[in-house]
Amino acid sequence: MNLTAQTFEPLEYVSDILPGMKAPNPDIRTITDPQVAAEHIEAETASRLDALFEHFTGTPAVLLSGGVDSIYVAAVAVRLGARPQAITIITNGESDAPNATAAAAALGLTHDVIRLEVEDVVSLARVVMNRLGTSELWEVTAGIPLVAALPTLSRITNLGAILTGSGADAIFGGGRKLTHPVESAEARAELDGLIRAESSANFRYDRLVPDFYPDLLRGFADRLVHVFQTVRWWQVAEQFAPPALFGEHNGAVVDKLALRLACSKALPDSARRLAWTAKAPIQRSSGLMPTLATAAREFAANLPGATTYTDPRTED
């Protein structure tokens, strides 16, 4: 592969750097073997983290959501000799924590699980809205876990890079389903279009809140790393064809197949099952959206006359 130089930048606005990335180019997706794609992912992840650890000295942290992307980042970091502090943000009763806890234990990481009660979520939502200047639900629920992690981050002596798996879904078609057989030319064109549309929309500076991370994290923003959001990663991933990214494992259809294979290889035998678990985006899987909905119902129920005809806590 003819790749651009490796970078230690926390993230790159790939769509701004490569304005033509949205143009269809399915013919470049020539890597069909998921094992070959997994080897490329393994090499590139190690290269990226090496560059980051050389630049950001100190103790790294990893925002461990319990999904394959962040688990894989943590596993490769450990393989390279780092021992990142793992941080998981969860609302009570939600399902992310067990997988994150199992991954941290298998990798020998110190792990802080921060459980948010309803009042914590409401308080953090106010902080996020004030800092970002918007109440848009997706932005607010993306911001809450980051702000919730700040006290733990501030206690880490000589904090290094703050690692996240952000960007993997966009470049590997995470959460997507193809309507054509994976071996077909139609599937190749469909996947190419989906990935280019999502990546070009997300990997750019001019979004609803352009300075999302500086506004939200302030002094910590310059070390929050989107491991998979770089020009070089885009160049690697745009060569993956549908059979490298979609397949079956133990009879179940999976996405991000090559990444899951790489993750399974990087984990200890006892934890390899974690590479194959499915997880929604953190805004949903952490329970933040239903928690805010419950808080909104409670607020509405206490408005004057709110329960005259129905109860906002229970009505549709």
Side-chain angles (χ1 to χ4, degrees), residues 11-23 196-211 229-232 234:
L11 64 87
E12 292 183 332
Y13 295 107
V14 182
S15 186
D16 297 341
I17 299 169
L18 302 176
M21 70 182 293
K22 192 173 183 179
R196 291 181 186 280
E198 183 168 350
S199 299
S200 61
N202 285 283
F203 292 176
R204 60 191 177 96
Y205 173 75
D206 189 15
R207 299 178 62 187
L208 180 62
V209 184
D211 287 320
Q229 188 175 327
T230 69
V231 169
R232 184 174 159 118
W234 171 256

Side-chain angles (χ1 to χ4, degrees), residues 283-302:
Q283 292 94 328
R284 295 194 184 103
S285 66
S286 60
L288 289 171
M289 286 185 172
T291 299
L292 285 171
T294 299
R297 286 178 177 274
E298 189 65 31
F299 178 84
N302 285 283

Side-chain angles (χ1 to χ4, degrees), residues 145-159:
L146 296 175
V147 175
L150 287 176
T152 299
L153 292 170
S154 67
R155 291 194 296 269
I156 298 175
T157 303
N158 191 25
L159 176 66

Side-chain angles (χ1 to χ4, degrees), residues 60-84:
V62 58
L63 301 185
L64 196 64
S65 70
V68 64
D69 307 334
S70 61
I71 289 175
Y72 181 54
V73 167
V76 176
V78 169
R79 194 184 69 196
L80 294 174
R83 282 293 183 272

